[in-house]
Amino acid sequence: MTFTMLASDDRTTAIAADPAAPRAVDAALVHAVVGVGRFGCVHARKLLALGGFELRALVDCASSARAIDELAALPLVSSLDDLPPGIQSATIATSDDAHAPIALALMRRGCHVLVEKPLCTDRNDGALMIRTARQCGVTLSTGHIERFNPVFDAATVARLRNAAVHHRESHRPFMRFRRYSARVATARDSVLDLMVHDLDLFAWLCAMPAEAPLEVLDRHIGEQRAHARVRLGTLVADFESGYDSLPASAQLQVGDGRHAQVLNLRCNARATTAGTDDALARQYQGFRRAILGQPSHVASGADGLAAVTRACQILRA
């Protein structure tokens, strides 16, 4: 089965309203976090420790929502309409199905948005998000944090991209991803929750454009494990994901079994709360650079939509 991405005119990571307009590079972005569940609180605490952002408000519509510890001093509002004036950027860390409507509302207010993965749950919503970002002159980024995993330093990325260019075995997997979580859920759920990370990584590490067609060569979704073999452009990769595994694990194998390089993606990859040089901090620094029109490898809206579309194709195959 082959599928081609929806056509999109989003070709850049940053979307600037007026490229000629001056930007205050040193000014902190006045920021809000929408969703104060576990992930939202991790984002909020990280932002309190980072330069370049001024966290000014939290948003959560749940009546039971509470901000604790150092977050308790921040305003917690129940609606985007109640945000204080001057919010320039926001993180969306709500349930997946709420990502699109919240992002659209924020972008129409002129806010740059970083949306936790997956960008959306419907590709038509994703296409609308990308169009809206361009029309409103704001940056839409997706939280594919694995791009900022310290395993992928500049030398490693360059080496992998060079290997991808010279890979000639179109019938054998060039990369094999395996990702398991201790969460209890179905293997089907893991495709949009876990495998989507690796679908984005595969495309990014191999410098594949968002429009590159994906062909599902094989797939099996059982009770605890989902597996897919796909061809993206000229390269083949295996993906495996699932839940109920202790300890949680994530790894990437590059090359065939005789000359394989194995990268442990869990090693030092988790974000810490106070640190300013972990994957989450680096992602925010990349988000800020994208807003300022500077080079960044933060995932764009188009990248996020590509990962969602490819994950959904695997689910439907």
Side-chain angles (χ1 to χ4, degrees):
M1 177 185 292
T2 301
F3 182 81
T4 302
M5 283 292 300
L6 280 172
S8 168
D9 59 359
D10 182 14
R11 295 293 185 272
T12 59
T13 299
I15 303 172
D18 181 0
R23 294 180 175 87
V25 175
D26 295 329
L29 290 162
V30 181
H31 196 85
V33 171
V34 185
V36 293
R38 181 166 65 92
F39 286 119
C41 287
V42 169
H43 279 274
R45 292 189 182 99
K46 179 62 58 182
L47 285 157
L48 286 176
L50 280 181
F53 292 90
E54 179 191 341
L55 183 57
R56 189 169 291 179
L58 307 173
V59 185
D60 200 302
C61 65
S63 59
S64 60
R66 296 289 184 273
I68 60 173
D69 302 330
E70 64 267 45
L71 303 180
L74 293 166
L76 173 59
V77 300
S78 60
S79 168
L80 298 181
D81 293 333
D82 297 325
L83 278 171
I87 299 295
Q88 298 169 290
S89 58
T91 300
I92 300 174
T94 61
S95 60
D96 296 349
D97 58 355
H99 286 180
I102 292 173
L104 290 168
L106 285 166
M107 290 189 291
R108 288 165 181 157
R109 292 169 59 108
C111 288
H112 309 284
V113 291
L114 174 68
V115 184
E116 259 292 1
K117 63 81 198 166
L119 176 72
C120 55
T121 55
D122 182 277
R123 57 191 290 261
N124 293 313
D125 286 343
L128 177 59
M129 293 164 75
I130 292 170
R131 289 198 301 272
T132 301
R134 183 166 293 280
Q135 291 163 1
C136 295
V138 296
T139 297
L140 171 64
S141 297
T142 311
H144 281 292
I145 195 171
E146 287 286 3
R147 293 185 176 205
F148 298 89
N149 190 314
V151 168
F152 299 118
D153 57 31
T156 299
V157 172
R159 185 166 62 251
L160 292 175
R161 288 186 175 170
N162 182 64
V165 168
H166 294 92
H167 187 72
R168 296 287 179 260
E169 298 183 52
S170 60
H171 64 290
R172 300 183 66 178
F174 171 57
M175 290 183 173
R176 293 176 173 86
F177 295 88
R178 188 177 187 274
R179 188 178 298 270
Y180 280 84
S181 168
R183 229 183 104 199
V184 178
T186 69
R188 188 173 185 84
D189 293 333
S190 76
V191 175
L192 266 173
D193 182 32
L194 302 177
M195 192 181 293
V196 73
H197 274 302
D198 298 322
L199 287 164
D200 176 71
L201 270 181
F202 180 47
W204 176 65
L205 290 171
C206 298
M208 293 287 185
E211 298 82 8
L214 178 81
E215 180 183 2
V216 179
L217 304 175
D218 185 35
R219 73 123 202 192
H220 174 75
I221 299 179
E223 292 185 6
Q224 293 185 310
R225 182 183 80 103
H227 171 266
R229 175 168 291 186
V230 308
R231 178 177 287 112
L232 186 61
T234 61
L235 298 173
V236 174
D238 276 350
F239 298 89
E240 184 179 326
S241 62
Y243 293 113
D244 199 20
S245 172
L246 289 173
S249 63
Q251 72 173 36
L252 163 60
Q253 177 180 309
V254 183
D256 60 34
R258 293 170 299 171
H259 305 98
Q261 176 187 10
V262 178
L263 300 175
N264 179 4
L265 305 185
R266 293 285 297 186
C267 181
N268 299 320
R270 304 307 299 169
T272 59
T273 299
T276 57
D277 193 30
D278 59 15
L280 187 56
R282 292 176 186 179
Q283 180 172 260
Y284 271 111
Q285 292 157 2
F287 177 47
R288 178 177 167 79
R289 285 194 295 272
I291 291 170
L292 295 172
Q294 299 171 354
S296 172
H297 57 263
V298 71
S300 68
D303 296 330
L305 178 55
V308 166
T309 302
R310 290 160 181 162
C312 289
Q313 185 182 353
I314 289 169
L315 287 171
R316 293 194 305 264

